[in-house]
Amino acid sequence: MSAAREYFAAIRRAVFSLADGLSVTVSYLLRRPVTIQYPDRTAQPVQRLLPERSRGLLEVDVERCTACGLCAKTCPIDCIVVETGKDAAGARLHTRMDVDLGRCMFCGLCVEACPTGAIRHSREFEGGMARVENLLVRFLDAPRPPAKPPKKGEEPPEKPAGSIIRSRLPGAFAPARRCAGGPDAKPGGAA
Amino acid sequence: MSEIVETAGREELILNMGPHHPSTHGVLRFVLHTDGEIMRLARPDIGYLHRGLEKLAEGQSYPGYLPFCDRVNYLEGIFCEQAYAMAVERLLKIEVPPRAEALRTITAELNRIANHHICLGCISMDIGAYTPFVYLLRERERINDLMEALCGNRLTYHYLRLGGVAHDADDAWLKNALAFVDKFERVIPEFESLIGKNEILVRRLAGVASICGADAVAYGLVGPNLRASGVDWDLRRDAPYSFYPRLSFEVPVGKGERGTVGDCYDRFLVRVEEMRQSCRLVRQAIEKLPAGDIRAKVPRVLKIPAGETYACVEGARGELGVYLVSDGSDKPYRLKWRTGSFAAMSIIETVSRGLMIADLVALIASLDVIAPETDR
Amino acid sequence: MNPTEIQERLGQRLGASLECGGAGADAFVIVPAERWLEAARALREGEGLDFDYLRSLTAVDRPAEGKIDVAAHLFSYKRRHALTLKTRLDRAAPRIASLGAVWPAAHWHERELWEMFGVAIENHPDLRHLLLPEDWPGHPLRKDYAMPERYQGIPTRRPAPLAEPAAGTGPTNTGPKNPPEAP
């Protein structure tokens, strides 16, 4: 007798607990959805929605870089190479500034080490490539004298975040997305 | 791949579950010896995600190893960082400023909630209820956003530094965190009525794969798995560290609510309750947040006096320990991770005897084993 | 019980004076390798000791001294005290008794110890590779370990594009279109 009672009690519990759960699900039919239709339909480019500190792809402003090499020394996985040489007159030349973004683990130690703010995280993250070697970014086109450490108040103007990496990784960020913000809302400074 | 071994008139089917199986949580293989639906033995085969994180430490500088800690377990990055940072700080004998300790606690508890979202979601998903998983992921997304705003990354936070934390939290962030906690405390009852009290879920979990307290201790189970087995132990309360001595909270223990003590449903309930307590902890820590520095002075080139220590924190999967041996140079001489999943994985072979195949899935999910943590 | 008392009591039970060190939670005691299992039993069952929880079991390779130090981190939920039990093994032929009969948790730790340091475990019921493939050569956590360049014909290292020197002066080709993508 008690087995039968327990059997029907279990059915009762099942029906009520299911109805309880379904009432939660049904209530969501009436609420505003929380998902966004990335990447096809976003109110703004997603890069702009990210917080200030967001650690995206690294970029180097060679005009600020003093070629001190602290970033390369701090990097735990050696994904940065900085090289210097001498020109004909014996002056110091910055000859190489390469970052292998395929290896980078986005820890931000290089950014903390950089004394002039030349290396920094952009908020770009969509650097998808068909070949991993293509994520090796060479930031220096030709050898140039390294920048002097700026005096207080005389720092060169900062380039807009993401503009450098966008020009260095062409194709990775194209095509421009259909954003609700209109043509002006096209992401960053893409060429 | 399967083979049939015939022994004394009975057939034993040897069946591979994994390495790619939706309920193995990472790449992980089980070799099942089954007799019909009943399992004679389930043998975990791990190592697919072995990255040699202990060996890597021997080639890294002390601050340079911190980002690797996040990779020990991608679901509880803050705890891994904290265990490692505590080990180094103990050898260096440096005091962490109270504000940094409080921020570590706030982020750690948020991290714990995010981790339990995945765990509880996976339990329900693995036994066939997909919707709760998605609901919990939605809540977890809010934590990820909070963490990204504070730490700069959503999963591999790299927020702690030796002697403190990387960034200070401003008032706006603290307000957002409080708002999240307030909102989330209302979501927990919703989750409970959505799935937690669901009779089908209860039937699938209650009384299944019970682990008694003595076994749990002998096999080194820790954290929620240990507490579900009725052992009342929590490092945050019983061996307090960081900011926890100044906070009050309760430690949920498994009572065998619908089945036996230490069954899958207890492990489920303990985690739900832990999320509530974590909300309390976050709120208290924000209210008591001291002013001051967020980083102690630490030399740039860090040499650590020779010695060794074992530091542990109460992670989302329980005791997460780092055994650190220093030889006085600027690199760790030896570093060993003691993780909760490793112990939990080692008990599966014993507990699985006589279970149904479908219950193995519930067992794995309720132990909250994560392959990167066992393999390191 | 404080660490000194634990160390004394263990010494009494083993009837030997033991090398001790460390303070607080990091207190340790070194026992001879042949008394490893006996010491573990004493700590597990000894009056007032009750170490019921094996936190971790691991080793440290010290080639300069020709030794491998094995360390077991123990804790007692009942008495709330901790101790590290250590022993020193000969690096050329390290052998140690299994603690699986005392703490079942030791089984997996010992499998790891065996494959990572090459420490032979006596009386282990199921000594198989844990993390590495069965045919992996060497013991990776030994200090003199050199990673093989290839494993079953598969290179073990990723190509390192950074190792190549910069492509001289002039604009350097980067990006997905240049050099052309492989089909």
Side-chain angles (χ1 to χ4, degrees):
Chain A
M1 198 57 206
S2 74
R5 194 175 296 143
E6 170 53 30
Y7 180 75
F8 287 108
I11 291 179
R12 197 184 128 85
R13 276 205 303 274
V15 169
F16 277 92
S17 63
L18 275 177
D20 209 12
L22 281 176
S23 70
V24 176
T25 324
V26 168
S27 77
Y28 274 92
L29 283 177
L30 309 170
R31 299 189 209 177
R32 187 188 283 272
V34 291
T35 46
I36 55 168
Q37 303 291 324
Y38 175 83
D40 292 333
R41 257 168 283 153
T42 53
Q44 286 185 64
V46 184
Q47 291 81 354
R48 289 197 204 165
L49 301 174
L50 296 182
E52 189 84 355
R53 270 180 208 153
S54 188
R55 296 198 296 266
L57 300 171
L58 283 174
E59 58 183 6
V60 185
D61 184 352
V62 283
E63 282 160 35
R64 295 174 144 231
C65 179
T66 58
C68 66
L70 271 180
C71 49
K73 250 177 250 157
T74 336
C75 181
I77 45 178
D78 304 328
C79 76
I80 306 175
V81 174
V82 183
E83 277 171 13
T84 52
K86 293 254 160 65
D87 68 1
R92 217 162 143 256
L93 268 187
H94 191 183
T95 53
R96 191 175 175 198
M97 182 71 233
D98 294 355
V99 180
D100 187 357
L101 290 174
R103 268 178 94 120
C104 174
M105 62 169 168
F106 305 94
C107 65
L109 283 173
C110 51
V111 179
E112 274 173 37
C114 183
T116 59
I119 190 163
R120 63 182 182 192
H121 282 289
S122 66
R123 275 179 279 163
E124 303 293 338
F125 58 91
E126 296 164 310
M129 293 276 181
R131 291 172 56 142
V132 72
E133 304 91 76
N134 291 340
L135 282 169
L136 172 69
V137 185
R138 304 194 193 276
F139 285 97
L140 211 56
D141 291 330
R144 69 191 296 282
K148 299 253 170 341
K151 294 193 188 82
K152 266 259 181 279
E154 285 176 23
E155 288 95 351
E158 210 167 309
K159 295 199 173 141
S163 58
I164 305 169
I165 190 71
R166 276 184 171 277
S167 63
R168 291 282 153 183
L169 277 182
F173 304 97
R177 301 263 149 62
R178 277 167 297 163
C179 289
D184 287 343
K186 255 204 271 180
Chain B
M1 268 185 31
S2 62
E3 67 182 286
I4 295 175
V5 185
E6 224 168 305
T7 43
R10 301 185 67 183
E11 279 183 344
E12 183 170 276
L13 182 71
I14 298 176
L15 190 70
N16 267 317
M17 178 174 162
H20 295 287
H21 187 277
S23 68
T24 50
H25 301 192
V27 195
L28 154 71
R29 186 170 73 117
F30 285 90
V31 182
L32 314 181
H33 295 241
T34 60
D35 180 7
E37 269 292 292
I38 307 294
M39 206 145 36
R40 292 205 184 135
L41 190 68
R43 201 168 250 177
D45 176 18
I46 65 170
Y48 292 90
L49 288 173
H50 179 61
R51 293 144 294 164
L53 282 165
E54 294 175 5
K55 187 76 180 176
L56 277 172
E58 294 168 15
Q60 290 295 340
S61 69
Y62 281 98
Y65 188 64
L66 257 178
F68 289 84
C69 300
D70 291 313
R71 274 84 179 165
V72 172
N73 184 343
Y74 51 84
L75 291 179
E76 45 176 5
I78 295 280
F79 296 107
C80 300
E81 289 175 26
Q82 196 175 2
Y84 171 71
M86 275 169 64
V88 177
E89 284 152 9
R90 198 177 291 168
L91 284 180
L92 265 179
K93 299 194 174 63
I94 46 175
E95 281 285 315
V96 180
R99 190 176 173 88
E101 291 282 25
L103 285 171
R104 285 180 178 189
T105 304
I106 295 168
T107 46
E109 292 304 321
L110 286 174
N111 199 179
R112 187 187 311 275
I113 299 174
N115 176 75
H116 286 356
H117 283 156
I118 293 287
C119 173
L120 295 171
C122 284
I123 295 179
S124 33
M125 186 175 71
D126 286 351
I127 60 174
Y130 187 68
T131 313
F133 179 66
V134 186
Y135 281 29
L136 287 176
L137 275 192
R138 179 198 62 201
E139 295 306 315
R140 181 167 176 268
E141 203 60 18
R142 294 186 217 282
I143 298 182
N144 282 352
D145 286 344
L146 278 174
M147 292 302 241
E148 188 180 19
L150 182 64
C151 321
N153 227 332
R154 301 167 71 81
L155 216 54
T156 47
Y157 310 112
H158 192 217
Y159 179 55
L160 269 63
R161 297 291 186 274
L162 302 178
V165 293
H167 308 285
D168 203 353
D170 55 9
D171 289 342
W173 187 87
L174 294 171
K175 226 175 101 192
N176 284 343
L178 274 181
F180 163 77
V181 170
D182 287 340
K183 184 151 188 301
F184 182 63
E185 276 183 336
R186 293 198 299 275
V187 174
I188 298 175
E190 192 183 284
F191 171 73
E192 280 177 328
S193 55
L194 177 68
I195 189 75
K197 299 193 173 103
N198 186 303
E199 189 66 13
I200 302 172
L201 181 108
V202 174
R203 291 261 166 153
R204 285 294 308 276
L205 298 182
V208 170
S210 304
I211 301 171
C212 70
D215 271 359
V217 170
Y219 277 89
L221 284 197
V222 285
N225 297 333
L226 179 72
R227 291 191 281 275
S229 296
V231 181
D232 191 5
W233 177 263
D234 190 317
L235 284 171
R236 291 174 291 171
R237 183 195 64 195
D238 299 315
Y241 57 93
S242 192
F243 205 59
Y244 290 107
R246 297 171 63 177
L247 310 174
S248 69
F249 63 105
E250 278 151 35
V251 177
V253 177
K255 298 188 194 74
E257 203 131 314
R258 298 289 292 274
T260 44
V261 175
D263 61 8
C264 293
Y265 192 54
D266 269 354
R267 291 193 275 276
F268 182 89
L269 290 180
V270 162
R271 289 197 169 86
V272 174
E273 188 54 34
E274 273 194 10
M275 294 203 298
R276 275 208 185 88
Q277 299 300 330
S278 291
C279 288
R280 277 180 69 187
L281 284 166
V282 171
R283 185 172 294 123
Q284 289 176 49
I286 291 178
E287 276 162 10
K288 293 182 181 168
L289 187 65
D293 285 344
I294 54 160
R295 267 168 106 161
K297 280 248 178 301
V298 175
R300 186 170 271 241
V301 179
L302 204 53
K303 287 206 172 164
I304 292 198
E308 56 174 67
T309 190
Y310 177 84
C312 53
V313 297
E314 181 74 24
R317 280 168 194 74
E319 183 180 317
L320 185 77
V322 167
Y323 174 49
L324 182 66
V325 181
S326 160
D327 62 347
S329 71
D330 58 345
K331 290 173 181 164
Y333 187 75
R334 165 95 174 99
L335 185 138
K336 154 92 182 165
W337 286 98
R338 187 262 182 252
T339 60
S341 295
F342 188 82
M345 195 76 87
S346 71
I347 203 174
I348 289 180
E349 189 172 327
T350 317
V351 179
S352 65
R353 281 170 220 265
L355 283 187
M356 309 271 276
I357 295 178
D359 290 342
L360 176 69
V361 173
L363 171 66
I364 301 168
S366 73
L367 284 173
D368 199 10
V369 287
I370 285 287
E373 206 188 55
T374 52
D375 299 352
R376 302 179 305 272
Chain C
M1 231 189 263
N2 68 36
T4 333
E5 286 170 359
I6 300 171
Q7 287 160 345
E8 268 171 23
R9 190 159 300 192
L10 181 66
Q12 277 167 18
R13 279 191 72 104
L14 295 183
S17 74
L18 303 167
E19 196 183 325
C20 304
D26 291 320
F28 64 83
V29 52
I30 301 177
V31 297
E34 61 276 8
R35 309 197 70 180
W36 177 245
L37 181 60
E38 198 188 334
R41 277 237 160 78
L43 288 169
R44 174 76 184 85
E45 289 152 11
E47 177 76 40
L49 295 169
D50 296 306
F51 284 94
D52 46 9
Y53 168 33
L54 176 75
R55 273 182 159 148
S56 89
L57 175 61
T58 189
V60 184
D61 185 21
R62 299 195 188 272
E65 300 157 47
K67 296 280 182 196
I68 288 181
D69 295 358
V70 178
H73 293 87
L74 306 172
F75 186 77
S76 167
Y77 284 120
K78 202 169 163 193
R79 312 272 171 194
R80 306 205 164 183
H81 51 214
L83 182 76
T84 308
L85 179 67
K86 287 191 184 182
T87 188
R88 313 205 77 187
L89 306 179
D90 179 19
R91 197 166 179 274
R95 281 191 88 73
I96 200 168
S98 168
L99 299 185
V102 187
W103 297 284
H107 282 144
W108 273 40
H109 289 294
E110 280 164 356
R111 280 169 68 184
E112 199 184 331
L113 196 62
W114 170 67
E115 71 175 354
M116 291 296 177
F117 289 93
V119 176
I121 312 287
E122 290 162 12
N123 296 327
H124 192 286
D126 184 25
L127 201 58
R128 288 175 295 128
H129 274 280
L130 184 67
L131 298 174
L132 302 176
E134 251 107 80
D135 52 353
W136 191 265
H139 306 292
L141 281 177
R142 285 203 181 194
K143 287 283 173 187
D144 52 5
Y145 175 75
M147 190 155 90
E149 286 299 316
R150 300 181 93 76
Y151 168 67
Q152 299 208 341
I154 311 161
T156 55
R157 283 171 217 278
R158 264 172 57 175
L162 276 178
E164 298 155 24
T169 54
T172 314
N173 294 328
T174 57
K177 298 290 175 282
N178 210 351
E181 300 266 331

